[in-house]
Amino acid sequence: MNQQINIKTYSSKIIVDDDKTLSEILGHNDENIDTIEHNFDATVLVRSNEVTVLSSDKTCVKQVSNLIKELIGLIKSGTQITKNDLRINIDMVKRSESPMAAHGENVVKAN
């Protein structure tokens, strides 16, 4: 017996308008994308200047898309994204907080 299983997949596309920003989002050898995929149940595909987020979890697609948009904003404002910055930004997005809004402020949050 063959049983067909249908899994709904959600997606979001983000256009990155310059190569330098895209390169910083990807990270060395795509390590930033790998970190993002490891922290979310999502796949991130990059083709040319287009970043596509795929997941069976609609909320996850929204969070990863927001994270990438926030990273674009931070990079364009002159912030260099380190591994630690990326981890902090991931945690903030998971809590529905905006890294861009917190940028430049001294934010201390007790867990």
Side-chain angles (χ1 to χ4, degrees):
M1 282 196 205
N2 288 337
Q3 186 176 7
Q4 187 175 359
I5 300 172
N6 292 323
I7 299 174
K8 178 102 172 137
T9 302
Y10 298 94
S11 68
S12 175
K13 288 188 181 182
I14 302 151
I15 304 298
V16 183
D17 60 5
D18 69 271
D19 292 340
K20 183 178 183 293
T21 301
L22 181 60
S23 177
E24 289 198 40
I25 289 170
L26 296 175
H28 181 68
N29 292 328
D30 295 344
E31 66 184 9
N32 290 348
I33 295 299
D34 293 342
T35 299
I36 292 168
E37 289 179 332
H38 179 75
N39 282 275
F40 294 93
D41 183 26
T43 300
V44 180
L45 305 173
V46 180
R47 300 285 183 265
S48 184
N49 69 333
E50 201 172 82
V51 178
T52 304
V53 180
L54 301 168
S55 179
S56 59
D57 182 342
K58 189 175 186 178
T59 300
C60 186
V61 169
K62 184 176 178 180
Q63 287 178 324
V64 174
S65 297
N66 287 342
L67 174 64
I68 292 171
K69 290 173 187 175
E70 293 280 345
L71 292 174
I72 290 170
L74 288 169
I75 292 165
K76 288 188 175 206
S77 73
T79 302
Q80 187 172 0
I81 305 298
T82 65
K83 290 178 189 180
N84 191 50
D85 292 332
L86 181 58
R87 282 191 291 271
I88 291 167
N89 289 328
I90 287 169
D91 289 343
M92 290 181 76
V93 167
K94 284 183 174 184
R95 293 189 308 254
S96 298
E97 297 173 2
S98 169
M100 278 294 295
H103 182 68
E105 298 178 15
N106 291 326
V107 178
V108 177
K109 183 159 184 117
N111 289 334

